[in-house]
Short mmCIF file of all heavy atoms in Angstrom, two decimals:
data_model
loop_
_atom_site.label_atom_id
_atom_site.label_comp_id
_atom_site.label_asym_id
_atom_site.label_seq_id
_atom_site.Cartn_x
_atom_site.Cartn_y
_atom_site.Cartn_z
N VAL Q 16 119.72 138.56 -141.69
CA VAL Q 16 120.00 138.11 -140.33
C VAL Q 16 120.19 139.33 -139.44
O VAL Q 16 121.15 140.09 -139.62
CB VAL Q 16 121.30 137.25 -140.30
CG1 VAL Q 16 121.57 136.75 -138.88
CG2 VAL Q 16 121.21 136.09 -141.29
N VAL Q 18 121.51 141.38 -136.55
CA VAL Q 18 122.67 141.27 -135.66
C VAL Q 18 122.41 142.14 -134.43
O VAL Q 18 122.38 143.37 -134.52
CB VAL Q 18 123.96 141.71 -136.39
CG1 VAL Q 18 125.16 141.65 -135.44
CG2 VAL Q 18 124.21 140.82 -137.62
N VAL Q 20 122.77 143.56 -130.48
CA VAL Q 20 123.55 143.82 -129.26
C VAL Q 20 122.53 144.03 -128.16
O VAL Q 20 121.73 144.96 -128.22
CB VAL Q 20 124.44 145.07 -129.42
CG1 VAL Q 20 125.16 145.39 -128.11
CG2 VAL Q 20 125.45 144.87 -130.55
N GLU Q 43 120.69 136.77 -134.56
CA GLU Q 43 122.08 136.59 -134.13
C GLU Q 43 122.32 137.48 -132.93
O GLU Q 43 122.26 138.71 -133.04
CB GLU Q 43 123.04 136.96 -135.27
CG GLU Q 43 124.50 136.84 -134.85
CD GLU Q 43 125.49 137.34 -135.90
OE1 GLU Q 43 125.18 137.25 -137.12
OE2 GLU Q 43 126.57 137.82 -135.51
N THR Q 45 124.92 138.85 -130.44
CA THR Q 45 126.38 138.96 -130.36
C THR Q 45 126.84 138.92 -128.91
O THR Q 45 126.20 139.48 -128.02
CB THR Q 45 126.85 140.28 -131.00
OG1 THR Q 45 126.22 141.37 -130.31
CG2 THR Q 45 126.49 140.33 -132.47
N ARG Q 47 128.63 140.58 -127.08
CA ARG Q 47 129.34 141.85 -126.85
C ARG Q 47 128.94 142.51 -125.54
O ARG Q 47 129.46 143.55 -125.17
CB ARG Q 47 129.07 142.83 -127.99
CG ARG Q 47 129.63 142.28 -129.27
CD ARG Q 47 129.51 143.25 -130.41
NE ARG Q 47 129.65 142.49 -131.64
CZ ARG Q 47 129.46 142.97 -132.84
NH1 ARG Q 47 129.13 144.22 -132.99
NH2 ARG Q 47 129.60 142.21 -133.88
N GLY Q 70 126.63 135.21 -132.04
CA GLY Q 70 127.57 135.96 -132.87
C GLY Q 70 128.73 136.49 -132.07
O GLY Q 70 128.73 136.45 -130.83
N THR Q 71 129.74 136.99 -132.79
CA THR Q 71 130.97 137.52 -132.16
C THR Q 71 131.63 136.46 -131.28
O THR Q 71 132.14 136.77 -130.19
CB THR Q 71 130.69 138.82 -131.37
OG1 THR Q 71 129.72 139.62 -132.06
CG2 THR Q 71 131.95 139.65 -131.23
N VAL Q 90 128.27 132.35 -135.38
CA VAL Q 90 128.91 133.23 -136.35
C VAL Q 90 130.12 133.87 -135.68
O VAL Q 90 130.06 134.24 -134.51
CB VAL Q 90 127.93 134.33 -136.83
CG1 VAL Q 90 128.61 135.27 -137.81
CG2 VAL Q 90 126.68 133.74 -137.46
N PRO Q 92 133.46 136.82 -136.38
CA PRO Q 92 133.89 137.88 -137.29
C PRO Q 92 135.09 137.47 -138.14
O PRO Q 92 135.37 138.06 -139.17
CB PRO Q 92 134.25 139.03 -136.35
CG PRO Q 92 134.50 138.39 -135.02
CD PRO Q 92 133.67 137.15 -134.97
N LYS Q 131 130.87 134.18 -143.30
CA LYS Q 131 130.45 135.57 -143.20
C LYS Q 131 131.49 136.39 -143.96
O LYS Q 131 132.70 136.10 -143.86
CB LYS Q 131 130.44 135.94 -141.72
CG LYS Q 131 130.23 137.40 -141.40
CD LYS Q 131 130.06 137.57 -139.89
CE LYS Q 131 129.94 139.04 -139.53
NZ LYS Q 131 129.42 139.23 -138.16
N PHE Q 133 133.04 139.80 -143.79
CA PHE Q 133 133.00 140.86 -142.79
C PHE Q 133 134.34 141.60 -142.73
O PHE Q 133 135.38 140.94 -142.72
CB PHE Q 133 132.68 140.28 -141.41
CG PHE Q 133 132.71 141.30 -140.31
CD1 PHE Q 133 131.63 142.17 -140.13
CD2 PHE Q 133 133.81 141.41 -139.47
CE1 PHE Q 133 131.67 143.13 -139.13
CE2 PHE Q 133 133.84 142.38 -138.46
CZ PHE Q 133 132.77 143.22 -138.29
N PRO Q 134 134.34 142.91 -142.61
CA PRO Q 134 133.20 143.82 -142.69
C PRO Q 134 132.91 144.15 -144.16
O PRO Q 134 133.75 144.73 -144.84
CB PRO Q 134 133.67 145.05 -141.91
CG PRO Q 134 135.17 145.04 -142.03
CD PRO Q 134 135.60 143.62 -142.27
N GLN Q 137 133.20 147.80 -145.75
CA GLN Q 137 134.54 148.35 -145.50
C GLN Q 137 135.62 147.52 -146.20
O GLN Q 137 136.70 148.02 -146.53
CB GLN Q 137 134.80 148.36 -143.98
CG GLN Q 137 133.85 149.25 -143.19
CD GLN Q 137 132.51 148.60 -142.84
OE1 GLN Q 137 132.12 147.56 -143.38
NE2 GLN Q 137 131.79 149.22 -141.93
N THR Q 159 128.16 141.03 -144.11
CA THR Q 159 127.68 141.78 -142.94
C THR Q 159 128.67 142.90 -142.65
O THR Q 159 129.88 142.71 -142.78
CB THR Q 159 127.62 140.85 -141.70
OG1 THR Q 159 126.85 139.70 -142.02
CG2 THR Q 159 126.99 141.54 -140.51
N GLY Q 160 128.13 144.05 -142.26
CA GLY Q 160 128.97 145.20 -141.99
C GLY Q 160 128.67 146.27 -143.02
O GLY Q 160 129.08 146.12 -144.18
N GLY Q 161 127.89 147.25 -142.61
CA GLY Q 161 127.53 148.31 -143.55
C GLY Q 161 126.43 147.93 -144.52
O GLY Q 161 126.19 148.63 -145.50
N VAL Q 162 125.76 146.81 -144.26
CA VAL Q 162 124.65 146.41 -145.14
C VAL Q 162 123.35 146.96 -144.57
O VAL Q 162 123.14 146.98 -143.35
CB VAL Q 162 124.57 144.87 -145.26
CG1 VAL Q 162 123.42 144.46 -146.19
CG2 VAL Q 162 125.89 144.31 -145.79
N GLY Q 163 122.49 147.44 -145.45
CA GLY Q 163 121.19 147.97 -145.04
C GLY Q 163 120.21 147.85 -146.19
O GLY Q 163 120.54 147.25 -147.23
N GLY Q 180 123.68 140.05 -143.29
CA GLY Q 180 123.43 140.32 -141.88
C GLY Q 180 123.54 141.81 -141.62
O GLY Q 180 124.19 142.53 -142.39
N GLY Q 181 122.91 142.25 -140.54
CA GLY Q 181 123.07 143.66 -140.22
C GLY Q 181 122.34 144.08 -138.97
O GLY Q 181 121.36 143.45 -138.55
N SER Q 182 122.85 145.18 -138.40
CA SER Q 182 122.24 145.69 -137.18
C SER Q 182 121.14 146.70 -137.49
O SER Q 182 120.43 147.13 -136.59
CB SER Q 182 123.31 146.35 -136.31
OG SER Q 182 123.90 147.43 -137.02
N TRP Q 183 121.01 147.07 -138.79
CA TRP Q 183 119.99 148.07 -139.10
C TRP Q 183 118.58 147.59 -138.74
O TRP Q 183 117.68 148.38 -138.48
CB TRP Q 183 120.07 148.47 -140.58
CG TRP Q 183 119.18 147.70 -141.52
CD1 TRP Q 183 117.91 148.04 -141.89
CD2 TRP Q 183 119.47 146.46 -142.18
NE1 TRP Q 183 117.41 147.09 -142.75
CE2 TRP Q 183 118.34 146.11 -142.94
CE3 TRP Q 183 120.58 145.60 -142.21
CZ2 TRP Q 183 118.28 144.94 -143.71
CZ3 TRP Q 183 120.53 144.46 -142.98
CH2 TRP Q 183 119.39 144.14 -143.72
N LEU Q 184 118.39 146.29 -138.70
CA LEU Q 184 117.08 145.72 -138.38
C LEU Q 184 116.71 145.86 -136.91
O LEU Q 184 115.53 145.74 -136.55
CB LEU Q 184 117.08 144.22 -138.73
CG LEU Q 184 117.17 143.89 -140.22
CD1 LEU Q 184 117.73 142.51 -140.43
CD2 LEU Q 184 115.79 144.02 -140.84
C1 3PG C 301 128.55 142.48 -137.09
O1 3PG C 301 128.99 142.26 -136.03
O2 3PG C 301 128.21 141.59 -137.85
C2 3PG C 301 128.51 143.91 -137.53
O3 3PG C 301 128.91 144.77 -136.52
C3 3PG C 301 127.20 144.34 -138.05
O4 3PG C 301 127.50 145.36 -138.89
P1 3PG C 301 126.51 146.59 -139.07
O5 3PG C 301 126.32 147.19 -137.71
O6 3PG C 301 127.23 147.52 -140.02
O7 3PG C 301 125.23 146.06 -139.65
#
Side-chain angles (χ1 to χ4, degrees):
V16 181
V18 177
V20 175
E43 177 186 330
T45 58
R47 296 186 199 172
T71 323
V90 179
K131 171 173 177 165
F133 177 79
Q137 298 83 346
T159 307
V162 180
S182 61
W183 93 91
L184 292 157

